[in-house]
Amino acid sequence: MTEKDQLLHDLKALGVKEGDAVLVHSSMKALGTKLTPEEVIDALQESVGEKGTLLMPALTYENVSGEHRVFDSGSTPPCIGLLPTVFWKQPGVERSLHPTHSVCARGALAHRLTVGHQMDDTAVGPHSPFMQLAVVGGGLLFIGDIIDARPCWPWGSWRCA
């Protein structure tokens, strides 16, 4: 079994299935894999299939500040890891318009989950992908040793990896 096959098997064992909307918080380093970031993202996308939606936070709180007040969804890079940084620039990925806590998404609900984020007064307001994910029955998936929280979401059925 290849590493990618093992990752797909593990995602399925966690309960991720075709058609799901999954917001992935990740640590490429903690995965300890020889897979490239693109291969990991491909496996994540494959796990939700064509009818699903893959999301990743694309936070920019280190890049948008009092000194650097401009946020451009097409040119302001995420500051939170290798996988979101690679995912952000891939074909078909949409990014929400929040200056410090944007989210990138690709798949069936990408536009639905990212549109309107700029209307919120806070990063996790009612229009944010974080809150809209719950509305569509999506969940969070933590990959790597990035947070010690159980369960991931009260409305999600997945365990943290």
Side-chain angles (χ1 to χ4, degrees):
M1 182 180 288
T2 67
E3 278 192 78
K4 183 178 178 183
D5 291 336
Q6 183 64 54
L7 178 55
L8 285 165
H9 176 268
D10 292 346
L11 290 166
K12 185 176 182 177
L14 286 169
V16 178
K17 61 188 180 311
E18 189 167 333
D20 282 343
V22 182
L23 176 62
V24 179
H25 288 271
S26 59
S27 168
M28 184 71 181
K29 182 179 176 182
L31 274 173
T33 183
K34 293 179 183 173
L35 295 173
T36 66
E38 292 83 0
E39 290 170 320
V40 171
I41 292 166
D42 286 347
L44 291 165
Q45 192 78 55
E46 188 175 329
S47 72
V48 298
E50 289 183 22
K51 295 180 181 178
T53 305
L54 177 64
L55 300 97
M56 291 188 188
L59 310 184
T60 57
Y61 56 84
E62 289 182 358
N63 303 327
V64 178
S65 64
E67 295 143 12
H68 302 97
R69 294 179 181 260
V70 176
F71 168 74
D72 180 333
S73 65
S75 65
T76 304
C79 65
I80 60 160
L82 183 57
L83 289 175
T85 300
V86 171
F87 183 60
W88 163 61
K89 286 295 194 175
Q90 289 188 330
V93 173
E94 296 190 41
R95 188 176 192 182
S96 70
L97 297 177
H98 189 278
T100 60
H101 287 74
S102 64
V103 174
C104 289
R106 179 172 54 204
L109 297 175
H111 186 72
R112 156 80 171 78
L113 293 169
T114 56
V115 70
H117 196 181
Q118 72 278 6
M119 295 187 297
D120 290 327
D121 292 332
T122 68
V124 294
H127 301 98
S128 74
F130 304 105
M131 292 301 185
Q132 288 300 306
L133 190 61
V135 172
V136 300
L140 279 179
L141 177 65
F142 293 98
I143 298 178
D145 186 18
I146 61 168
I147 213 166
D148 187 23
R150 306 283 190 277
C152 290
W153 277 19
W155 55 84
S157 60
W158 304 314
R159 296 169 291 150
C160 299

